[in-house]
Amino acid sequence: GADPNTILLREERLKGSDGCCSCAITSEEYTPLIAACMIINLKVADVLFEHPALDVNVVCAGVNQEFGPYKHFTALDMARLVKSHELVKKLEARGAKPAAALPEPPWPRPEQEGTPEVTMAAAEPGHEAKLPEVEPHAAEVVQQAMASVL
C-alpha cells in the first residue's frame, strides 16, 4: 500500500500586491491526512487512521522558494483552522499535536521523506486498512479535492 505519511508539494505563483509582473513562488507541503482535514473528508481521514504506520504529527511547511519555510502546520492545526471539531477530537485521541509543540523539520528536506518500512510485526495480526466501498480511490479523491481547494 501507499505510505500514509508521504509529503506532497503544491506550487503557487503569487503576483505582487501592486499588480506588477514580479511574482513570488511558494509551495505548500501536505500529507494525505492534512489534505483530508483541509476538505473535512471524514471518510478518508478514518481510512488513514486505520493504517498502522500513520504519523498524526508530521510537520509540513509553507515554503518560499527564495527564503525557505515561512510557516509550519500539522493535521491538528489544519483541523482547527477549518473548525472541524470531530476531526480535532479524533486527532487529539491519537496524540496529535500542533506544529508549535513539535520540532521543525529539516530544510531542505532529505531526498527520501515519509514512513520507514513497517514490518508486519508492527501491525496488529490480520490488520489491513481498507478503503470504504463508496470511495475506492481515496488518494485520488483527496488529490482532486486538493487541486480545487488550493
Side-chain angles (χ1 to χ4, degrees):
D3 178 355
N5 303 314
T6 298
I7 296 173
L8 307 168
L9 194 63
R10 183 169 194 288
E11 188 176 280
E12 290 186 349
R13 295 176 186 271
L14 306 171
K15 285 197 174 186
S17 60
D18 61 356
C20 71
C21 56
S22 68
C23 63
I25 300 173
T26 62
S27 300
E28 292 283 325
E29 297 178 327
Y30 61 95
T31 64
L33 182 58
I34 288 173
C37 290
M38 288 177 76
I39 60 172
I40 313 175
N41 190 323
L42 298 171
K43 288 180 183 177
V44 171
D46 286 340
V47 168
L48 292 167
F49 289 144
E50 289 182 26
H51 198 290
L54 179 69
D55 180 356
V56 296
N57 289 314
V58 173
V59 178
C60 286
V63 182
N64 177 292
Q65 297 302 323
E66 292 181 43
F67 305 112
Y70 61 89
K71 67 179 177 178
H72 293 90
F73 53 93
T74 63
L76 180 61
D77 293 318
M78 192 56 61
R80 288 177 174 167
L81 181 69
V82 299
K83 297 178 177 31
S84 174
H85 303 294
E86 188 170 351
L87 278 170
V88 168
K89 262 177 47 179
K90 289 180 177 196
L91 286 161
E92 288 176 340
R94 287 165 176 81
K97 298 176 184 174
L102 296 165
E104 287 186 10
W107 189 259
R109 287 198 185 264
E111 184 71 25
Q112 187 175 24
E113 189 72 26
T115 307
E117 283 195 32
V118 177
T119 62
M120 289 309 291
E124 295 176 22
H127 182 273
E128 184 179 325
K130 294 182 180 174
L131 296 173
E133 288 186 29
V134 292
E135 292 192 54
H137 306 290
E140 291 175 25
V141 170
V142 171
Q143 287 177 343
Q144 288 171 358
M146 285 301 304
S148 67
V149 170
L150 300 176

